[in-house]
Amino acid sequence: MKKYLVYILMLTPFFSWAQSITGTVVDSDGQSIAFANVTLCQSSDSTIITGCTSDENGNFCFATECTGGMYLRISFVGYKTKLVELGTSPLRVTLESIMLNEVIVVARRKLYEQKNGEMIANVKGTILETFPKTADVIAQLPFVSSQNGIFTVFGKGSPAIYINNRLVQDLKELDRLMPSEIKNIKVNIMPGAKYDATVGAVIQIITEKAQGEGLSGTLHAGSKRSERWSAEEFVSLNYRHKVWDIFGSAYLIQRRRQIDMKANQQLSVADAVHGVGYQEEENVKSERLATVGGINYNPNESISAGVQYVYNHSTWKNDMLNNISHTVNNEMEVKQQRASSDRPDHTHNVNAYFSGTLGGNLSLDFNLDWVKGNERDNMHSWFQNDASGDVNTVSTRRYGYYASKGILTYANKYVNLEGGAEYSYTDMTQTYAIDNTALGINNSEDVTKQNRWALFVSAKSQVGNWGFGAGIRYEDIDFDYYKNKAWNKEQSKKYHKLFPNLFVNYSKGNMQATLSYERKIKYPSYSALRSNIQYSSPYVYESGNPMLLPQMQNDFTCILGYKDIKAMLGYTLYEDYMTQVVELYDGNPVALMRPDNMKDVKSRFIAFSYTPTIGIWRPNFELGGQWQDFSLSDKTYDKPIFKIRLNNSLSFPHQWFLTAGVGWQSEGNSGIYLLKSSLQTNVNIAKMLFDKRMSVSLMVNDIFKTDKIQWSINHSHIVFDYDKNSDSRYVQLTIQYNFNATKSKYKGGSSSDEKQRL
């Protein structure tokens, strides 16, 4: 019954009896004009009946009960006022610019703004549009950092990234979008009810409206040298004819890495202390081929629909040599372990969408998703002169997923109302097989099936200098767990959760302030819910936890801004906090690492950002700290982590650009881990050619090779020190060429963020 109710709510049509006047205001180059005045006047005496202003995309919409004897008057500073007879909506109105004699207006567009809980970075018309890559622009945003192509919002974790209304499933999509095509980027650390309750932050990229017809595309090639050579190639094509877009892309990424690791363990069992040392070297090879194809229908500015298909195939191979020393009762044994792994996977993804107005101020967005995938991990481990330690394992993951989501929006100049529903179904099978039964590890086959429903509603309003917003989301989950094909009552769960959120915003002149509250949830990944124990080495096992509960959190956030200075403060109360723990496996000298839930955990963070623009130089200085209140087995893990970042961007004549950044993180606790300090220094020089159609970039990452993965654990009779060099220092050359201005108008989003758990 719930399922049918959700579908009815998503597909219910809405009508407006008042006639809608819709259209778009553009300049002579076809670029949208934001905030143009649009008024409806009587032809007899020019009396103004009603009106509005165009939005940031140049679109306008208002309703009226009578249109006879009426005309539109459209005006904007710097353009000739135009009178337009009413006709069939939507209208497209082109304004002609006015040349002002003997008047020169010099102004600097504000780089960052704060509105309704969002930090907005203006890209068009600022120094940000001169950056060679979109990923470079995102990495410059306040409180956003990037490491190895992964973005993090300070205090909020990894964000969901959208291009217009479409969720970015693969960050390589950012490579085909040039900064000069972006209008602005919004960083929302209070995503609200319409987003999945697991999403802590959203980065939304708003692009300029694409113009023109015919064939367009992007060609991208890159080569990277670390300890090994790596390469990537990418091509994207789009053909537009009238109301149709046909688009496709493909890219191949080849990675080669050499990883060195050192580790030491002390395992205190009943009769002795076991010392274990590791000296490991890995050679990793990976290849990934992805293809995208789709079609889009866009008859006017008010309606858009389309479908796209994405296929991913990747392989991952690892050859490892590990010298392991085992000391007990002053006697040492040295073993040489060799291992090889092979991990192929395939995924298929289809997305379809509809976006359009229903009349008046109503609009509807609807998305459908279907995903199917499978992964296989084969590992062979052996010891020289000791066949009893040989291990062969095979683990597989097969999953299917489909989802739908509908959002209805009502907007006028006073209020923005959104409501909708979503549904998703997930079916996951995970198997594990091991041939060495003497290790005490069993074969397993786990099946999880989940039905998930959600209803949400939210409202935003701006009254003078004050902005207000509130929303609520309801999620209903039926989760069935089958262990070795038998339904398990204890591990099967049902959730019925409410997630409220609210914010208040004040903005006047150079001062902005936002205060918000959100209740969020973090569901365990399907991998974390597996029941099997996985062999990693003779002294380290890993496992999932089928009894793992989702993590609930109550987030309180405050953002303050004055000119180029911003501050952010946050406080989070956790329920059933999820973290990794380590313990002895059945009293043996083996460390078992598994996820578990903890009670009474809190965290706090504070961060400052200063981003002035000084001629060709744009520095960004950030300072932040975060710490947790976390205790386990009478031990406290509350050492704070401090971060300092300094990014420098310089724009030189003739389209030359230089960026240089330094990031430092102090030693501190995250869960039971004591993360060691790290330092990263990067330099990138870029040149734009052929009127910004081509970019050439040379980057040196982690110049001093100080960005290592280092941590230690002291818990439950185990001391574990880990030091890994992940081949982070490299030199990379990339060349990208964009031809023609036509870009795909595909606006499909994602039905649910459930896909991220797969």
Side-chain angles (χ1 to χ4, degrees):
M1 183 64 184
K2 294 176 183 175
K3 183 191 300 186
Y4 297 118
L5 176 62
V6 172
Y7 280 126
I8 290 171
L9 288 171
M10 286 189 293
L11 297 174
T12 299
F14 293 85
F15 302 95
S16 175
W17 286 271
Q19 184 172 345
S20 297
I21 307 298
T22 62
T24 305
V25 184
V26 299
D27 61 18
S28 56
D29 295 325
Q31 299 297 313
S32 60
I33 299 177
F35 312 117
N37 294 311
V38 181
T39 54
L40 180 67
C41 305
Q42 287 186 354
S43 300
S44 58
D45 56 7
S46 299
T47 300
I48 296 176
I49 304 301
T50 185
C52 66
T53 59
S54 60
D55 64 16
E56 58 186 15
N57 296 312
N59 299 321
F60 63 87
C61 178
F62 60 88
T64 181
E65 295 182 356
C66 58
T67 58
M70 303 286 179
Y71 68 91
L72 290 179
R73 184 178 185 272
I74 300 161
S75 63
F76 190 70
V77 176
Y79 294 86
K80 293 181 180 179
T81 298
K82 191 165 187 176
L83 307 182
V84 178
E85 295 294 331
L86 292 181
T88 303
S89 290
L91 301 168
R92 185 177 177 86
V93 181
T94 302
L95 299 184
E96 297 181 14
S97 62
I98 301 173
M99 299 300 295
L100 301 178
N101 296 324
E102 300 180 358
V103 176
I104 299 176
V105 179
V106 179
R108 174 181 292 176
R109 190 181 184 191
K110 186 181 293 186
L111 201 60
Y112 297 114
E113 298 176 279
Q114 191 170 319
K115 184 178 180 181
N116 287 338
E118 294 179 327
M119 290 181 289
I120 303 173
N122 294 309
V123 179
K124 197 68 177 177
T126 72
I127 192 173
L128 295 179
E129 75 168 335
T130 64
F131 279 64
K133 287 186 176 182
T134 296
D136 299 331
V137 177
I138 296 175
Q140 299 294 316
L141 303 180
F143 310 121
V144 179
S145 60
S146 173
Q147 187 172 22
N148 298 323
I150 304 299
F151 300 104
T152 303
V153 177
F154 192 86
K156 298 292 183 176
S158 297
I161 299 178
Y162 286 77
I163 298 177
N164 296 321
N165 291 319
R166 181 174 58 83
L167 178 65
V168 174
Q169 301 289 350
D170 191 322
L171 292 179
K172 293 302 295 180
E173 291 186 49
L174 300 177
D175 286 344
R176 59 186 176 190
L177 181 64
M178 297 292 285
S180 57
E181 301 172 86
I182 299 174
K183 178 177 290 185
N184 55 51
I185 301 178
K186 300 177 180 179
V187 181
N188 190 348
I189 61 172
M190 297 160 279
K194 78 173 180 179
Y195 295 101
D196 196 291
T198 62
V199 176
V202 170
I203 294 177
Q204 187 176 25
I205 302 171
I206 309 299
T207 63
E208 289 277 4
K209 180 184 173 184
Q211 301 294 329
E213 294 204 357
L215 183 67
S216 67
T218 298
L219 305 175
H220 175 97
S223 181
K224 182 169 73 174
R225 174 65 183 182
S226 52
E227 296 293 334
R228 301 285 187 270
W229 281 102
S230 300
E232 61 182 33
E233 296 86 31
F234 170 79
V235 59
S236 174
L237 298 174
N238 186 94
Y239 179 76
R240 176 173 301 153
H241 179 66
K242 295 182 178 179
V243 300
W244 295 97
D245 270 286
I246 301 175
F247 57 91
S249 62
Y251 58 83
L252 176 65
I253 303 175
Q254 299 172 308
R255 292 282 186 261
R256 305 290 185 267
R257 291 192 299 161
Q258 178 179 309
I259 300 174
D260 301 311
M261 186 271 288
K262 296 186 295 182
N264 291 286
Q265 290 175 273
Q266 288 185 2
L267 309 168
S268 300
V269 297
D271 57 346
V273 176
H274 295 253
V276 183
Y278 301 88
Q279 290 276 354
E280 181 179 293
E281 180 181 307
E282 296 181 61
N283 287 299
V284 180
K285 299 179 181 179
S286 65
E287 291 188 0
R288 183 181 179 194
L289 174 65
T291 56
V292 180
I295 188 168
N296 191 74
Y297 175 67
N298 196 180
N300 53 54
E301 296 298 325
S302 302
I303 296 177
S304 182
V307 61
Q308 74 171 10
Y309 166 75
V310 181
Y311 171 71
N312 272 289
H313 170 60
S314 65
T315 59
W316 183 90
K317 295 182 178 181
N318 181 329
D319 293 312
M320 181 194 73
L321 173 62
N322 192 3
N323 292 306
I324 304 175
S325 62
H326 178 209
T327 304
V328 60
N329 296 327
N330 295 321
E331 294 184 6
M332 178 182 289
E333 178 187 20
V334 179
K335 294 183 178 182
Q336 188 176 79
Q337 180 191 23
R338 289 185 175 273
S340 63
S341 298
D342 180 18
R343 188 187 303 161
D345 69 74
H346 306 262
T347 60
H348 305 266
N349 184 359
V350 177
N351 171 258
Y353 82 97
F354 168 83
S355 177
T357 59
L358 301 176
N361 298 319
L362 288 173
S363 62
L364 174 68
D365 289 283
F366 186 77
N367 278 272
L368 291 171
D369 275 293
W370 173 82
V371 179
K372 184 177 182 180
N374 64 80
E375 303 172 8
R376 183 181 180 90
D377 190 348
N378 308 296
M379 189 194 77
H380 175 45
S381 172
W382 71 98
F383 291 89
Q384 293 182 347
N385 305 319
D386 184 10
S388 64
D390 291 359
V391 178
N392 293 290
T393 66
V394 178
S395 59
T396 66
R397 284 165 30 100
R398 301 185 302 275
Y399 52 87
Y401 160 84
Y402 64 83
S404 58
K405 183 176 183 178
I407 303 175
L408 183 69
T409 303
Y410 174 84
N412 59 30
K413 63 181 179 180
Y414 301 109
V415 68
N416 182 292
L417 299 174
E418 290 183 322
E422 64 183 65
Y423 169 76
S424 67
Y425 173 77
T426 307
D427 188 340
M428 168 79 76
T429 300
Q430 301 179 94
T431 67
Y432 186 78
I434 184 169
D435 66 353
N436 192 333
T437 58
L439 298 174
I441 300 176
N442 299 320
N443 297 342
S444 66
E445 180 176 351
D446 300 333
V447 177
T448 53
K449 297 182 179 181
Q450 176 179 279
N451 286 279
R452 181 178 181 180
W453 300 268
L455 298 171
F456 54 88
V457 63
S458 64
K460 292 182 180 180
S461 181
Q462 188 76 28
V463 181
N465 297 324
W466 292 90
F468 304 91
I472 191 165
R473 181 183 179 92
Y474 170 76
E475 291 192 359
D476 184 303
I477 293 179
D478 289 339
F479 181 85
D480 291 311
Y481 189 93
Y482 300 82
K483 184 175 182 179
N484 295 324
K485 299 183 179 180
W487 183 71
N488 190 299
K489 181 178 179 180
E490 291 184 354
Q491 297 171 358
S492 299
K493 304 176 179 69
K494 293 182 183 293
Y495 301 111
H496 313 282
K497 303 288 188 181
L498 283 173
F499 302 97
N501 68 85
L502 56 93
F503 76 86
V504 59
N505 180 84
Y506 178 79
S507 178
K508 184 176 182 180
N510 294 316
M511 176 69 74
Q512 303 94 34
T514 304
L515 182 65
S516 71
Y517 162 77
E518 278 194 300
R519 184 167 172 83
K520 310 296 290 185
I521 193 170
K522 179 181 179 182
Y523 295 104
S525 69
Y526 287 97
S527 177
L529 291 169
R530 72 188 191 277
S531 66
N532 69 279
I533 296 174
Q534 180 175 312
Y535 175 88
S536 297
S537 82
Y539 306 100
V540 179
Y541 296 170
E542 297 179 62
S543 77
N545 181 358
M547 303 302 294
L548 200 61
L549 297 173
Q551 171 184 292
M552 302 293 298
Q553 58 193 70
N554 296 282
D555 293 338
F556 300 87
T557 307
C558 178
I559 305 175
L560 302 172
Y562 178 73
K563 292 186 177 180
D564 298 320
I565 302 174
K566 292 192 179 297
M568 183 166 63
L569 303 87
Y571 179 71
T572 301
L573 298 170
Y574 294 99
E575 303 166 21
D576 298 316
Y577 178 75
M578 282 193 298
T579 187
Q580 194 86 352
V581 298
V582 60
E583 58 192 22
L584 294 176
Y585 177 59
D586 287 344
N588 297 312
V590 177
L592 175 64
M593 308 185 76
R594 64 178 181 85
D596 205 350
N597 294 112
M598 301 294 151
K599 301 293 184 181
D600 301 322
V601 178
K602 307 176 184 67
S603 71
R604 306 169 180 85
F605 70 86
I606 183 170
F608 299 91
S609 174
Y610 178 53
T611 313
T613 300
I614 307 170
I616 65 170
W617 178 38
R618 181 184 171 275
N620 169 242
F621 176 76
E622 290 188 5
L623 171 65
Q626 56 190 80
W627 58 98
Q628 61 182 19
D629 292 337
F630 180 62
S631 299
L632 183 62
S633 301
D634 298 325
K635 289 187 178 181
T636 302
Y637 303 90
D638 59 359
K639 188 172 184 178
I641 297 175
F642 295 101
K643 297 182 180 181
I644 298 176
R645 184 178 74 163
L646 175 61
N647 283 338
N648 297 278
S649 304
L650 295 99
S651 302
F652 297 101
H654 308 296
Q655 299 295 315
W656 284 93
F657 306 96
L658 174 68
T659 58
V662 179
W664 172 81
Q665 177 178 299
S666 72
E667 182 178 272
N669 285 119
S670 176
I672 64 171
Y673 290 79
L674 179 65
L675 305 180
K676 302 300 180 66
S677 63
S678 64
L679 176 71
Q680 187 179 58
T681 308
N682 307 323
V683 174
N684 182 55
I685 186 169
K687 167 68 173 174
M688 305 293 287
L689 300 166
F690 308 121
D691 195 24
K692 299 183 181 181
R693 291 191 298 274
M694 174 181 281
S695 67
V696 181
S697 174
L698 181 66
M699 178 182 183
V700 184
N701 189 77
D702 191 21
I703 297 174
F704 304 108
K705 206 173 184 179
T706 51
D707 187 24
K708 297 182 178 182
I709 301 173
Q710 297 176 308
W711 49 260
S712 65
I713 295 174
N714 187 349
H715 172 69
S716 185
H717 308 290
I718 297 172
V719 177
F720 201 156
D721 292 308
Y722 186 88
D723 184 353
K724 181 178 181 180
N725 175 16
S726 59
D727 208 3
S728 58
R729 181 169 63 183
Y730 59 81
V731 178
Q732 183 174 27
L733 175 67
T734 58
I735 300 174
Q736 180 165 308
Y737 180 72
N738 290 43
F739 63 91
N740 205 339
T742 308
K743 292 294 176 183
S744 170
K745 295 182 180 180
Y746 192 83
K747 300 177 182 178
S750 175
S751 303
S752 170
D753 291 294
E754 173 72 11
K755 282 190 288 188
Q756 306 305 317
R757 297 176 66 201
L758 302 178

